[in-house]
Amino acid sequence: MNRHLLYIIIVSLAIAACKPSVPSRYIQPSDMEDILCDFHVSQAMANQQGKSEQERNYLKTLYFASVLEKYGVTRADFDSSLVYYYIRADRFSEVYKRVAGRLADEAMELGTAEGEINRFANLNSGGDTTNVWTGDLSKILIPYAPYNIYSFEQKSDTSFHKGDSFMLIFNTDFICQNGMRSAEACLSLRYDNDSIVSRATGLSASGANQIRIPPNGNHLVKEIRGFIYMTPEKESETTTKIMLVRDIQLIKFRKKESAATVPEDSTSLKLEKDNFKLKEI
């Protein structure tokens, strides 16, 4: 065997041996990944099938119990394992990256998405309505820095015109043992005169979300920024809280002749360049 190849194999085995394994009393990473994927699918089904909030909550509980039964896992096993991964954010982040990737692949295969997102699922770069999103399609957030915020920034391109409006849309899925579900999302547009228009919304439930900024016929958008932020846990709280953000899209709408524009002197929307900052952790 080639000495160089043998050296690589030995080093790889040594690195793998140094990485601590998950104790056998907890659900192993591959199994946890499968369970979480099925969990999110089951919750989406409950949201679609339930005709009222009470019915949706009942179906979510019922379907989740079916997922655990499928894998031969008790709720106590799941909860204790979830806590184990939860306090090891780096490892949990790896698991959820794979979960998010699988969910995104399944959504593309089905060709559908939830709620408002379904209307824009197959947009391309042409036409008056376009998905211009260039960031991650999904993110997992937990209420501990630096894992509780996803910020994004992208520049305009040649398809942007004066009078374009924008809408950020995405789905959220929460896993919370108890307590409040608290998060926030913000979308901001910087125009060619350095004025900034921002919109924000609170997030407290699973489902489809959107933030829309109306057209401004006087100036061209030069930069788009924003964030999705999960409120940090208090030091005294140990409740497991997780938020999966998925199916992220940024839809650009071409100005219609009858569309209203945003006045340049709008004090409710306009923020000065030096005063605008994204939340910092």
Side-chain angles (χ1 to χ4, degrees):
M1 181 182 291
N2 183 286
R3 289 186 177 182
H4 180 66
L5 178 59
L6 179 61
Y7 174 77
I8 293 176
I9 294 175
I10 293 174
V11 171
S12 299
L13 291 174
I15 293 174
C18 292
K19 186 176 181 178
S21 59
V22 177
S24 60
R25 64 182 180 275
Y26 299 118
I27 301 172
Q28 297 302 297
S30 60
D31 293 330
M32 178 61 82
E33 180 182 332
D34 290 339
I35 292 172
L36 289 173
C37 279
D38 282 358
F39 166 81
H40 287 296
V41 171
S42 72
Q43 303 305 286
M45 290 174 56
N47 282 329
Q48 291 178 350
Q49 296 174 0
K51 294 181 173 57
S52 65
E53 186 67 23
Q54 183 178 5
E55 185 177 359
R56 286 191 289 271
N57 289 335
Y58 170 77
L59 290 175
K60 287 179 181 180
T61 301
L62 181 64
Y63 290 165
F64 184 39
S66 297
V67 170
L68 296 181
E69 182 179 359
K70 172 183 175 181
Y71 292 96
V73 173
T74 67
R75 182 58 190 261
D77 291 335
F78 177 79
D79 286 345
S80 62
S81 298
L82 196 60
V83 171
Y84 171 83
Y85 286 100
Y86 185 71
I87 62 179
R88 293 162 178 81
D90 54 343
R91 175 165 291 182
F92 191 72
S93 179
E94 292 176 4
V95 171
Y96 241 112
K97 281 180 181 178
R98 295 191 293 272
V99 171
R102 287 173 57 175
L103 291 173
D105 290 342
E106 289 181 13
M108 290 183 65
E109 290 177 3
L110 293 172
T112 58
E114 291 181 28
E116 191 74 11
I117 293 175
N118 186 45
R119 295 171 53 196
F120 310 106
N122 299 310
L123 293 178
N124 53 37
S125 58
D128 292 340
T129 304
T130 306
N131 179 17
V132 296
W133 180 251
T134 60
D136 296 322
L137 296 179
S138 56
K139 296 292 291 186
I140 174 66
L141 301 179
I142 61 176
Y144 294 102
Y147 305 101
N148 67 325
I149 187 168
Y150 172 54
S151 57
F152 55 88
E153 177 180 346
Q154 63 185 71
K155 303 295 184 181
S156 65
D157 57 40
T158 55
S159 70
F160 286 33
H161 296 82
K162 292 181 179 180
D164 288 344
S165 62
F166 294 82
M167 181 167 67
L168 178 69
I169 57 178
F170 54 92
N171 278 315
T172 52
D173 292 309
F174 283 89
I175 299 179
C176 294
Q177 289 180 326
N178 53 60
M180 297 293 294
R181 303 174 180 185
S182 179
E184 181 181 358
C186 177
L187 177 66
S188 297
L189 306 181
R190 184 188 298 273
Y191 292 93
D192 53 11
N193 65 342
D194 282 337
S195 63
I196 294 175
V197 175
S198 300
R199 282 282 195 268
T201 186
L203 309 171
S204 59
S206 298
N209 304 272
Q210 66 180 47
I211 306 175
R212 184 163 188 170
I213 296 182
N216 183 340
N218 300 313
H219 295 286
L220 181 69
V221 171
K222 303 297 292 184
E223 181 184 59
I224 300 172
R225 301 175 68 190
F227 62 83
I228 302 173
Y229 172 79
M230 194 172 187
T231 304
E233 286 281 18
K234 298 178 181 178
E235 293 183 2
S236 59
E237 294 181 343
T238 57
T239 301
T240 302
K241 295 180 182 179
I242 304 160
M243 181 174 70
L244 174 65
V245 184
R246 58 187 176 86
D247 307 322
I248 306 174
Q249 297 183 70
L250 179 63
I251 309 303
K252 177 176 66 65
F253 300 92
R254 183 61 48 80
K255 177 185 176 182
K256 303 297 182 181
E257 291 300 325
S258 59
T261 60
V262 178
E264 286 196 63
D265 61 350
S266 173
T267 57
S268 61
L269 295 179
K270 184 177 179 182
L271 299 176
E272 295 299 328
K273 176 180 178 181
D274 294 337
N275 293 332
F276 176 75
K277 294 183 178 179
L278 292 179
K279 291 178 182 274
E280 296 180 354
I281 304 303

